[in-house]
C-alpha cells in the first residue's frame, strides 16, 4: 500500500509547483512510474482522488505512464527491455547489466490555471 505515500508526495510536489507558478487550481497531473516501482495505477488514482479533496487539486485528473524496465549490457552494449525479470543480456547472455529505465517515479507535468 505504498501508493498512499506516493500519492501524498505527488500532491505535495504538485501543490508546491502550482504555487511557484501562480496557479490557483491544478486540473491535471502526469506521473512517470518505472516498472520496478510496482505502482498500482488504480490504487494511486484512488488515493490521489481522496487526498486532493479540499485542495486546489481537487478533481484533477491523474495520468500515470508506466515506464518499461530497460537495460544495457556492459559486455556487448546491447540495449533491451527486461522481460519477466530476467536480468540477462539476450544477445550475449551476460549478467553484467546497467538499468537504463524503469526506476523512475516523478511528477512529470501539471496543468492548471
Amino acid at each position: 500500500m505504498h501508493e498512499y505515500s506516493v500519492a501524498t508526495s505527488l500532491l505535495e510536489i504538485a501543490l508546491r509547483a502550482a504555487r511557484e507558478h501562480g496557479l490557483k487550481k491544478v486540473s491535471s497531473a502526469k506521473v512517470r512510474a518505472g516498472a520496478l516501482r510496482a505502482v498500482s495505477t488504480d490504487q494511486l488514482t484512488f488515493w490521489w482522488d481522496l487526498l486532493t479533496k479540499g485542495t486546489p487539486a481537487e478533481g484533477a485528473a491523474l495520468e500515470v505512464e508506466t515506464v518499461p524496465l530497460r537495460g544495457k549490457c556492459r559486455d556487448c552494449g546491447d540495449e533491451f527491455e527486461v522481460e519477466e525479470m530476467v536480468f540477462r543480456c539476450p544477445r550475449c547472455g551476460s549478467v553484467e547489466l546497467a538499468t537504463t529505465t524503469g526506476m523512475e517515479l516523478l511528477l512529470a507535468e501539471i496543468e492548471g490555471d
Side-chain angles (χ1 to χ4, degrees), residues 48-107:
W48 173 265
D49 290 344
L50 190 68
L51 292 168
T52 58
K53 288 188 189 313
T55 75
E58 184 170 0
L62 182 67
E63 180 183 323
V64 181
E65 174 192 356
T66 302
V67 181
L69 177 58
R70 295 191 53 80
K72 181 174 182 175
C73 180
R74 290 188 174 123
D75 289 333
C76 74
D78 190 33
E79 293 187 38
F80 54 92
E81 192 166 323
V82 176
E83 296 178 12
E84 298 181 22
M85 302 307 273
V86 176
F87 292 87
R88 181 175 301 276
C89 177
R91 183 190 292 170
C92 73
S94 174
V95 294
E96 296 297 320
L97 310 175
T99 303
T100 58
T101 66
M103 293 293 295
E104 301 87 339
L105 184 53
L106 59 105
L107 180 62

